[in-house]
Amino acid sequence: MPGIEDLYREIILDHYRTPRNRGELPPPAVSCEGNNPLCGDDICIYLDVADGVVRDVKFSGQGCSISQSSTSMMTVAVKGKTVAEVQAFVRRFKHMMTLTEGDDEVDQSINLGDIEALQGVVKFPVRIKCATLGWNTLLEALKETQN
Amino acid sequence: MVGTNTAFDSAVIRRDFPLLAKEIDGKPLVYLDSANTSQKPNIVIDTMAKFMRESYAPINRSAYTLAANATELFENARNAVAKFINSNNSREIIFTKNATEALNLIVNSWGRANLQRGDVVLLTHMEHHANIVPWQMLQQERGIELRWVPLTSDFQLDLSSLESLLTGVKVFSFTSMSNVLGTINPVEKLCAAAHAAGALAIVDACQSVPHAPTDVQAWGADFAMFSSHKMCGPSGLGVLWGREEILQAMPPYLGGGNMISEVRLDGFTCAELPAKFEAGTPAIAEVVGLGAAVEYLSSVGMANIRQHEIATSSYVLEMLTSRFGDDITIHGPRNPELRGATFSFAFRGIHPHDLSQVLDQSNVCVRAGHHCAKPLMKIIGANATARASFYLYNTTADADALADALDSASDIF
Ligand SMILES: Cc1ncc(COP(=O)(O)O)c(C=O)c1O
């Protein structure tokens, strides 16, 4: 059995206890809801994109420590990035969570920073969905900003 | 094996279940997820293995001795199930894939034949998705109306307006025991109320048949269903019980082999019950295994199991409350007589997913999530809960192990 300390790293618990960018953004920011049908968790991502740059991002909803901290770390990382940078960043993250096939598209030089701490989740396969919930919802929200 | 009159001892019963002796990382397994699915006793495992080694053959289709013997063993199991729930006769016992399929069978066969736009089906706020979604599918197709019996603040069905809720209702379909709250519903009373209103009474008996004596005739129900895997039997098998005259009048559900008496190029006629509703090759070894499971449960004694679970509930409720006080919230009745030994709870604000992960470090197996009852979860104001459910093989030591593991979760969060 993999050790629980691989899962609950201090940085993860820190983002869980004090989530960054929790809250909502009023329209015209887009909002997008994602849920994990297995456990009933839901997350809403609010995204303000202007001139191809993520100006602001917030999240609300309920979830376990993994989904909440992963989303919190994600918001910190993507704020200020261009849409293309965000997309590449998400690909890099999902690759770390071993969810993407076809390595060629993944830019391994992208530094995930603190988010590397989530790598331990891979040892607990049922929790991967928790870690990626916010990220998939972000992708949905990005799509909406492009409509 | 323990006879009905012998003192019941879950520590002895436990030895009948080989998997419960398993250790992971040198620590014993504490299996508290039997409301989800139960572990299997040796007698079930051995009966199925022996059947497949010595007696396996098609049933109902071939004249040779091996097949005739297999058919006899299969039908013996059906008889045992009929007796176990006091069905009038074994033609009323239909084998399905699981309880979910049994509910879909009723909705698709009886429902389609009898319900039109505007007809009302009454359900309750504590139903499993299996007793909600098939009706909603018919609602989308037919425009039937769904009505709901609400809950009281102490997690019982609020029956104060039952009579008016039942007005004009064609079917009342409800669970005998909530898989989330543990609440045991007054099945006889609800069936009588349904009939007084001219409605059919359907009992989702998944959570009660494994845990207490069942008498479908005393209930006065029209249909009941349950799953083999929750009652010490194999998975892949469910039981639909229905009153013979209603089953007779229903159109078939799945079509194919075994369910016909005649097929011509221009049509078919149905087989007699129960074959009429058992299209295709059934779960042969599983049915034989379920037969062994009901024999096993009967020999332990269903009344003994119920008494054990009342005692377990008393212990768990008292112990958890005295150890954790307000740090634990149990979503369910406090009175052990009114509940089964299934406990959904919230603990110190720790998300159930995290909780179950930490409990797993101590080999304590509990379920975390919405338990396939999302409308109910919304009503009790939780996205998810952790759920510990006890069965005949669980001892007070299992309950203590749960509490110790909960303590260790607080250390992390
Ligand atoms: C009350 C209730 N109804 C229906 C079901 C569905 O049973 P199955 O998944 O075996 O079809 C369950 C099991 O989870 C249940 O607890």
Side-chain angles (χ1 to χ4, degrees):
Chain A
M1 202 189 282
I4 200 94
E5 58 288 347
D6 289 337
L7 190 62
Y8 297 122
R9 306 273 295 274
E10 199 44 49
I11 182 76
I12 294 177
L13 292 173
D14 176 57
H15 275 265
Y16 176 51
R17 294 193 192 104
T18 18
R20 327 293 199 264
N21 299 310
R22 227 188 131 78
E24 303 181 3
L25 292 175
V30 303
S31 63
C32 205
E33 230 179 86
N35 55 58
N36 184 342
L38 270 180
C39 59
D41 288 350
D42 54 53
I43 264 179
C44 189
I45 301 282
Y46 301 84
L47 191 62
D48 178 4
V49 174
D51 305 324
V53 174
V54 174
R55 301 282 172 203
D56 203 0
V57 53
K58 289 204 183 299
F59 76 102
S60 65
Q62 291 182 42
C64 64
S65 61
I66 301 299
S67 72
Q68 295 288 298
S69 63
S70 178
T71 306
S72 169
M73 289 194 264
M74 174 198 77
T75 59
V76 172
V78 302
K79 210 188 276 192
K81 283 195 164 61
T82 66
V83 170
E85 283 169 340
V86 171
Q87 280 163 340
F89 195 79
V90 175
R91 264 201 298 279
R92 171 79 177 83
F93 173 74
K94 289 180 76 168
H95 180 65
M96 179 178 82
M97 306 310 289
T98 61
L99 285 180
T100 41
E101 317 275 313
D103 290 1
D104 5 329
E105 277 199 71
V106 177
D107 181 354
Q108 298 287 0
S109 71
I110 294 173
N111 181 3
L112 289 173
D114 286 349
I115 293 168
E116 298 272 358
L118 284 163
Q119 186 146 34
V121 176
V122 176
K123 294 183 194 157
F124 300 83
V126 289
R127 305 300 295 276
I128 293 175
K129 280 213 168 82
C130 310
T132 52
L133 176 61
W135 298 71
N136 288 326
T137 313
L138 175 74
L139 285 182
E140 291 299 310
L142 266 182
K143 262 191 226 153
E144 275 190 34
T145 64
Q146 284 158 357
N147 292 340
Chain B
M1 216 181 270
V2 183
T4 316
N5 298 318
T6 340
F8 180 98
D9 183 351
S10 50
V12 175
I13 299 267
R14 233 181 138 73
R15 294 187 210 132
D16 295 335
F17 293 78
L19 197 139
L20 295 177
K22 186 181 163 76
E23 296 191 339
I24 302 178
D25 293 343
K27 283 176 281 184
L29 191 69
V30 181
Y31 188 76
L32 297 177
D33 200 16
S34 297
N36 199 338
T37 197
S38 73
Q39 294 300 341
K40 317 304 172 200
N42 278 316
I43 186 79
V44 169
I45 300 165
D46 295 345
T47 300
M48 289 177 72
K50 185 172 190 304
F51 177 75
M52 287 187 278
R53 286 214 172 84
E54 299 174 10
S55 312
Y56 187 80
I59 56 147
N60 292 344
R61 289 182 188 180
S62 307
Y64 50 85
T65 306
L66 192 69
N69 287 344
T71 304
E72 189 182 338
L73 289 169
F74 185 93
E75 290 306 322
N76 286 348
R78 190 192 305 277
N79 294 337
V81 171
K83 189 166 152 229
F84 188 68
I85 61 169
N86 195 29
S87 167
N88 218 349
N89 65 65
S90 53
R91 291 183 300 280
E92 297 184 330
I93 301 295
I94 315 274
F95 290 122
T96 60
K97 184 173 69 173
N98 48 35
T100 301
E101 190 185 62
L103 277 153
N104 278 274
L105 188 163
I106 295 174
V107 172
N108 281 285
S109 167
W110 187 91
R112 283 231 175 90
N114 291 284
L115 298 177
Q116 309 301 331
R117 172 168 298 278
D119 282 343
V120 186
V121 173
L122 183 62
L123 306 171
T124 85
H125 277 168
M126 61 168 85
E127 297 312 311
H128 186 281
H129 294 165
N131 193 26
I132 298 177
V133 180
W135 299 109
Q136 289 176 331
M137 288 164 70
L138 191 66
Q139 180 178 42
Q140 284 173 1
E141 179 190 308
R142 282 285 162 90
I144 60 169
E145 182 193 329
L146 300 184
R147 248 181 235 165
W148 307 87
V149 180
L151 303 187
T152 63
S153 57
D154 61 343
F155 306 100
Q156 310 286 326
L157 289 178
D158 180 353
L159 302 179
S160 57
S161 321
L162 184 62
E163 224 173 289
S164 66
L165 279 170
L166 272 167
T167 312
V169 163
K170 288 262 170 77
V171 189
F172 183 17
S173 187
F174 57 89
T175 185
S176 53
M177 174 182 144
S178 165
N179 64 316
V180 176
L181 309 169
T183 311
I184 293 175
N185 289 322
V187 175
E188 287 181 35
K189 185 176 159 181
L190 298 181
C191 289
H195 289 157
L200 219 59
I202 302 176
V203 185
D204 174 352
C206 281
Q207 292 293 340
S208 70
V209 166
H211 300 279
T214 304
D215 183 336
V216 289
Q217 297 189 66
W219 276 354
D222 297 303
F223 291 108
M225 70 289 305
F226 46 97
S227 278
S228 156
H229 67 89
K230 292 186 200 285
M231 52 193 290
C232 302
S235 55
L237 176 64
V239 177
L240 169 65
W241 167 83
R243 281 206 291 122
E244 187 170 4
E245 60 271 30
I246 302 178
L247 290 169
Q248 289 288 8
M250 278 159 57
Y253 171 44
L254 299 175
N258 198 51
M259 52 74 71
I260 48 89
S261 75
E262 174 69 289
V263 183
R264 295 167 313 273
L265 289 178
D266 64 352
F268 70 95
T269 49
C270 282
E272 296 294 314
L273 290 173
K276 173 181 168 185
F277 291 106
E278 293 180 347
T281 303
I284 303 173
E286 287 75 8
V287 165
V288 172
L290 175 61
V294 302
E295 300 289 0
Y296 174 77
L297 290 171
S298 302
S299 72
V300 173
M302 292 310 295
N304 290 338
I305 294 175
R306 176 65 193 137
Q307 282 312 310
H308 167 67
E309 293 185 11
I310 291 174
T312 303
S313 290
S314 299
Y315 182 81
V316 169
L317 288 165
E318 240 174 78
M319 184 270 295
L320 289 178
T321 318
S322 73
R323 269 182 80 160
F324 301 118
D326 290 342
D327 285 352
I328 194 162
T329 306
I330 295 168
H331 304 286
R334 305 297 302 187
N335 181 347
E337 302 279 344
L338 301 179
R339 59 146 45 252
T342 290
F343 306 91
S344 282
F345 58 93
F347 183 70
R348 293 187 182 147
I350 303 173
H351 191 279
H353 235 158
D354 293 319
L355 206 52
S356 72
Q357 191 88 59
V358 178
L359 295 188
D360 184 47
Q361 294 291 303
S362 312
N363 286 341
V364 174
C365 310
V366 302
R367 180 163 174 189
H370 52 63
H371 317 295
C372 299
K374 287 193 96 170
L376 172 61
M377 300 302 285
K378 191 152 201 155
I379 286 159
I380 63 175
N383 249 18
T385 65
R387 182 187 69 184
S389 52
F390 294 73
Y391 200 10
L392 75 166
Y393 39 64
N394 290 116
T395 61
T396 53
D398 291 332
D400 294 337
L402 168 68
D404 293 344
L406 284 172
D407 253 337
S408 71
S410 310
D411 299 341
I412 296 184
F413 294 97

